[in-house]
Amino acid sequence: MGVSDGAAYLDAASSLPLHPAAREVLLAALDQGYADPRRLHGPARQARLLLDNARAVVAQALGTRSDEVTFTSSGTDAVHRGLLGLVLGRSGGPREVSHTAVEHSAVLHAARWSVDRLGGSASSLPVDHTGRVLLDALPRIGVLAVQAANHEVGTLQPVEEVRDLVDPDAEVFVDACSSMGRLPLPGGWSALAGSAHKWGGPAGVGVLLVRKGVRWRSPFPLDDRVDPRASGFEDVPAALAAAAALQAVVVEREEVNARHTAMIERIRVAAAALEDTEVVGDPVRRLPHLVTFSCLYVAGDALVHELARRGFGVASGSACTSSALEPSHVLAAMGALTHGNVRVSLTRDTTEAQVEEFCAVLPEVVAGLRR
Amino acid sequence: MSEPTLELDCRAMLCPQPIIELARHLGDIEVGEVLALVATDPAARYDVAAWCRMREQELIGTEVTADGATRYRVRRLS
C-alpha cells in the first residue's frame, strides 16, 4: 500500500490544521489588523476593535467574562502566567504548589521554576491507573494545578470536586489546553489556560483566563500594552482567527464529538483485540477524540515509523520517541506500559473509512514488528 | 525463597528488549522461583512492573547494582 492510500493525520492532540472558519478570518484580518491597537488613529482603532471583538467572541464561546480573557503568545505562556501569577498573588504564607503527576510538562516546568525563583515547595499528586487524580491525597491549601483532561491518555480530571475539597482561599489552576473548545470548561478554576492550535486556530495564540476577584500578579516584567496580563505587541489577526475557530468548534462540537466518540470506541476495541496490548486511560470519562494504547514487545518508534509508512501520522509516549530517551511521565505515573505506545487523536475531517483502514492495518503492523 | 535462580544481564539494551528477554526466559525457571533482570534502560523502571501486572507475575523487589544499573527480581507465579 502506498503512502497516499488512506493517508490520515491522526495526531490532532499535538496540533490541528487551521479550521476553515479561522483561515477566512485570518486572511481578512491580516489586511485590517496590523496597526498598534493603543494608538488613536483610524487603523489603530480598527485593530483595537478587532482585538476587543476577538476577546468577546472567546469569552462567549467559553461562557466567561470578556475582562477575564487574555491572549498570550502560546498555550505554554498561558500556563506559565496562569500558574505563576496565582502563586505570586498569594499574600504571605508559604508558596505551596501541588500538581497532578500527569500534568503537561509546561505545568511541571512552571512548578519547578516557582520553587527555584519564588521559593516555597512543589509536590506531585498521585493518580490511579486511569490517570485520574486521587482525591484523598489532596492538599487543602496553596495553589493546585489540575488539568481539565489529560493530553496523552484523554482522562478527564475532577476539577470541580477538587475545588470543593480544598480550602476557600486555595487557588485552582486548570490547564485546559487539550479540551478547550471540544468540551465545556469545568467550573472552579481561579485561572485557566488554553492553546489555539489545539482547537484549529493558528499557533502562537494562547488564552489565559483569570477569574474576576482572584488575586493574580504577573510573574514576568510588565509591558504597557492593551492587556496588563500579557506582554508584547498583540497579534490581532491571529487572535481574531483563533476566536473564529473556537466559535466554530463550539458550534459544531455536539456533532463532531458524537462522531469522534464512536470512532475512538472502534479503535479502542480494535487495539484491545490485539494480543498483549493494553488500552490506557478512562474508557468513559475521557476526551472524545483521543485514545492511547501500548503493545508489549514492540518499540514505540518502530510502531510510529511503520504506521507513518502506511500513511498514518500518530504520536507516542515511549522513551525511544523522546529526545531525552525518558518514557512519558504520564504513562509512568499511571503504572501503564511505556513501550510500544501509540496515541491516536482525530481531527474534524477524519473519516470512518480512515478509521476502518487504521483498524485493519494495525494487527499486521504490530505482528510484523514482533516477528 | 527469593534468591534468583537465573540472572539476565540486559545492560545497555533499550526498551522493549529487556522486557522481551524477561518474557523469553521466565519459562526457564520453575513456578515459585525467582529471576533477576539487570537493566540500565530508564523505561524498564516502569515496564517491568507493568509487564508483571499484565502477565500476573510478581515483582518482589528492585535494587541498584554496584555499577548503577537496576536489578529487578521477578517471581514466576504461573
Side-chain angles (χ1 to χ4, degrees), chain A residues 276 278 296-299 325-327 332 335-339, chain B residues 15-16 19-20 23 42-43 45-47 50-51 53-55:
Chain A
D276 290 326
E278 188 172 51
L296 263 179
Y297 316 133
V298 181
L325 290 181
E326 277 286 333
L337 192 67
T338 73
H339 73 246
Chain B
C15 77
I19 307 302
I20 292 175
R45 270 207 300 281
Y46 314 106
D47 287 357
W51 183 87
R53 175 177 53 72
M54 289 170 77
R55 281 317 177 85

Side-chain angles (χ1 to χ4, degrees), chain A residues 276-291:
Chain A
D276 290 326
T277 296
E278 188 172 51
V279 182
V280 296
D282 195 300
V284 182
R285 288 178 296 191
R286 62 166 171 87
L287 289 171
H289 69 300
L290 185 158
V291 62

